[in-house]
Amino acid sequence: GAGVSQSPSNKVTEKGKDVELRCDPISGHTALYWYRQSLGQGLEFLIYFQGNSAPDKSGLPSDRFSAERTGGSVSTLTIQRTQQEDSAVYLCASSLEPRLGNYNSPLHFGNGTRLTVT
Amino acid sequence: KNEVEQSPQNLTAQEGEFITINCSYSVGISALHWLQQHPGGGIVSLFMLSSGKKKHGRLIATINIQEKHSSLHITASHPRDSAVYICAVINTGNQFYFGTGTSLTVIP
């Protein structure tokens, strides 16, 4: 399909295990964002990739969270030693390259990965 | 203090009513997004604004950069407009700040 694809759509894991979440952005989109939405909470920004530049990791909640983006396309978000508070829907969005002062690149969201840590 | 404040938090309207959702922010921004999240959880980007006004069908979004305020208007509201509407701003470092959302219910 032509949209942002995330996998898996659902993931149940035991506390302490590591998980990997995948995001395939729209082809040609250089900007990629990860967010999460905990139950009953608003959206929380996690990390932003622009092309092959070093990512902005300022939103990652702890050092158990990491993300990479290979070849400027597919991204994986890794959560090590998962905790119950990591349970949330993890959303990925992509857009064309944002340009300061000339922002005309809408976001396209994936359907998210629902992570449940038991 | 949240960087992005939305009002109202909850809104119930009769079908056909004109609806306004407000968003105020405190950070310097590159752009502002209005997002729509349906009960199933999927999120759609409705508008991206850096100035002025945009219109798409029955939806209108405005932004006043000097006042750090944006509004989303829905004309002739319909039950299918029922969703959570989220205001999100992007600062000059391309970091996102989200409002907590406005839950809209349109009654037939």
Side-chain angles (χ1 to χ4, degrees):
Chain A
V4 177
S5 177
Q6 289 188 247
S7 61
S9 55
N10 283 283
K11 176 73 177 177
V12 180
T13 190
E14 292 180 354
K15 177 181 172 181
K17 295 284 177 75
D18 297 350
V19 295
E20 260 192 16
L21 313 179
R22 177 185 169 107
C23 173
D24 280 276
I26 292 174
S27 178
H29 281 191
T30 57
L32 186 148
Y33 305 83
W34 282 99
Y35 313 95
R36 72 176 176 182
Q37 188 170 37
S38 303
L39 186 63
Q41 302 294 314
L43 284 163
E44 177 187 1
F45 166 77
L46 296 178
I47 190 168
Y48 159 66
F49 292 89
Q50 173 53 49
N52 294 317
S53 302
D56 175 0
K57 304 179 181 180
S58 58
L60 294 178
S62 80
D63 58 9
R64 296 185 294 104
F65 286 71
S66 62
E68 61 177 23
R69 189 178 184 192
T70 52
S73 180
V74 171
S75 176
T76 54
L77 177 69
T78 301
I79 309 173
Q80 295 177 309
R81 304 181 303 281
T82 52
Q83 303 294 312
Q84 287 185 333
E85 62 262 27
D86 299 334
S87 296
V89 175
Y90 289 81
L91 291 155
C92 175
S94 71
S95 74
L96 295 171
E97 180 180 356
R99 296 178 183 177
L100 186 64
N102 186 26
Y103 224 92
N104 58 5
S105 305
L107 287 172
H108 297 263
F109 283 83
N111 289 328
T113 293
R114 183 174 298 277
L115 174 67
T116 304
V117 181
T118 60
Chain B
K1 182 184 183 300
N2 293 331
E3 289 84 0
V4 181
E5 300 278 356
Q6 276 186 247
S7 63
Q9 289 188 343
N10 294 281
L11 181 57
T12 300
Q14 290 291 130
E15 184 173 357
E17 283 186 9
F18 180 84
I19 289 163
T20 296
I21 301 171
N22 294 300
C23 174
S24 296
Y25 54 91
S26 58
V27 297
I29 70 167
S30 297
L32 180 146
H33 287 263
W34 280 102
L35 310 174
Q36 181 191 54
Q37 185 171 31
H38 277 282
I43 296 177
V44 174
S45 177
L46 298 174
F47 293 104
M48 186 179 59
L49 297 163
S50 54
S51 64
K53 175 180 174 179
K54 286 191 176 179
K55 183 176 188 295
H56 185 243
R58 296 180 294 107
L59 302 178
I60 303 166
T62 63
I63 188 169
N64 185 318
I65 298 294
Q66 286 72 32
E67 294 184 3
K68 296 190 173 181
H69 181 268
S70 176
S71 294
L72 176 68
H73 306 286
I74 305 175
T75 62
S77 59
H78 191 276
R80 64 176 173 265
D81 297 327
S82 298
V84 175
Y85 293 83
I86 303 166
C87 173
V89 301
I90 308 169
N91 69 6
T92 53
N94 286 317
Q95 293 174 325
F96 271 81
Y97 298 91
F98 294 95
T100 52
T102 295
S103 180
L104 172 65
T105 303
V106 182
I107 300 170

